[in-house]
Amino acid sequence: MTLNIYDTKDQVAKEFSEYFRDLAMSDQTIHIALSGGSTPKIIFDYLAEHFGSEIDWSKINFYWGDERCVAPTDSESNYKMTVDHLLSKIEIPESNIHRVLGENDPEGEAVRYGQVLETKLPNLNDIPQFDLVMLGMGDDGHTVSIFPDSISLWDSPENCVVATHPDSGQKRVTITGKIVNNSKAVAFLVTGAGKAEKVQEILKKEKDFASYPAHLVQPLHGELIWFLDQDAAKGIQ
Ligand SMILES: O=C(O)[C@H](O)[C@@H](O)[C@H](O)[C@H](O)COP(=O)(O)O
């Protein structure tokens, strides 16, 4: 595991964007699972602005690690957030964008998306393998859309499952731990003071760390890189 701590969220955006650029410079087709929520916004803005014209996006395939079961035009949609902050600013073939179509039939989409991963991605040990899974962490210790109150979903034998947000009841389609931990690389992007307590518990294995899905991110074959700002890392320095 690599732990990178930067002074500001802007620096996290810069450093992750440079990491992404280096990965994208490969001459291979790259498959990346994107995270959602608000943290990626500044990162995608930086990536588009500084490397949007440098990267050959024709080799980059975007998927989502999780998606809210809402229309792609809904302000809650991770796809919409990604369009607004990245996809609308770069030249990427539509066929390289693999949206989660969860707005109508979440259960059916979890099956379909799991099959998309089977057919589109290379596999390792018969499990689809991403080149990079980008993750965020909620202040309750959730990651992708696997929440502490349904942490058992992490160990589902399925590639994707339907989860429910514990507060809003919003349904989400999410990849599971078998996919995350089979990735060649996992980048955890966590910023802000609100995350500091859980970051400390997880990285120092204190208190209730074992009850947080984010603690279960332990890639079997690949690298795990934390990109933190000072605020999120204040409990581990
Ligand atoms: O759909 C989502 O919400 C995410 O994928 C989720 O796992 C997110 O990464 C965390 O909730 C952190 O979200 P913030 O970046 O908004 O704090």
Side-chain angles (χ1 to χ4, degrees):
M1 175 187 71
T2 304
L3 192 56
N4 300 311
I5 301 173
Y6 303 105
D7 286 344
T8 63
K9 188 172 181 178
D10 287 345
Q11 274 188 289
V12 167
K14 174 178 182 297
E15 297 295 333
F16 175 77
S17 294
E18 290 173 359
Y19 170 84
F20 185 104
R21 184 270 319 270
D22 294 347
L23 175 70
M25 285 312 175
S26 154
D27 57 3
Q28 308 291 318
T29 297
I30 302 285
H31 301 277
I32 298 173
L34 298 173
S35 59
S38 57
T39 300
K41 294 176 181 176
I42 185 175
I43 294 163
F44 292 161
D45 287 340
Y46 189 99
L47 183 61
E49 181 183 346
H50 292 83
F51 300 117
S53 53
E54 179 180 342
I55 290 171
D56 175 4
W57 299 97
S58 69
K59 299 197 306 298
I60 310 291
N61 282 265
F62 282 137
Y63 307 75
W64 278 263
D66 64 320
E67 179 60 280
R68 294 84 181 272
C69 295
V70 296
T73 52
D74 191 301
S75 61
E76 278 284 300
S77 164
N78 288 333
Y79 168 78
K80 180 183 186 310
M81 181 273 290
T82 311
V83 168
D84 292 347
H85 293 274
L86 179 60
L87 302 180
S88 59
K89 305 174 186 176
I90 61 175
E91 296 292 322
I92 184 167
E94 274 300 315
S95 56
N96 288 26
I97 298 168
H98 308 279
R99 183 172 80 83
V100 179
L101 313 173
E103 57 270 29
N104 297 317
D105 170 14
E107 300 294 347
E109 178 59 9
V111 173
R112 187 198 72 89
Y113 207 68
Q115 290 165 346
V116 168
L117 302 185
E118 292 286 346
T119 55
K120 298 283 186 186
L121 300 186
N123 75 74
L124 176 64
N125 300 330
D126 292 327
I127 299 171
Q129 185 177 47
F130 281 107
D131 294 280
L132 173 65
V133 172
M134 184 181 167
L135 295 178
M137 184 188 75
D139 53 15
D140 61 353
H142 82 259
T143 193
V144 281
S145 278
I146 295 178
F147 297 91
D149 70 346
S150 51
I151 193 169
S152 61
L153 289 175
W154 181 266
D155 295 319
S156 167
E158 306 301 332
N159 294 341
C160 297
V161 294
V162 176
T164 303
H165 192 286
D167 300 328
S168 67
Q170 183 186 65
K171 283 194 177 297
R172 303 191 173 182
V173 173
T174 181
I175 61 175
T176 56
K178 67 181 271 194
I179 300 294
V180 174
N181 285 337
N182 204 45
S183 182
K184 290 181 182 174
V186 177
F188 238 140
L189 297 131
V190 184
T191 61
K195 311 290 175 73
E197 183 185 41
K198 297 297 186 291
V199 166
Q200 177 177 343
E201 288 185 54
I202 289 167
L203 290 179
K204 297 176 82 171
K205 294 191 181 342
E206 293 173 348
K207 289 177 61 184
D208 302 321
F209 76 94
S211 66
Y212 308 135
H215 149 71
L216 299 173
V217 176
Q218 300 163 17
L220 298 172
H221 326 284
E223 58 177 341
L224 172 57
I225 309 171
W226 287 80
F227 292 82
L228 298 168
D229 69 356
Q230 290 282 0
D231 287 342
K234 65 187 175 187
I236 57 171
Q237 299 196 83

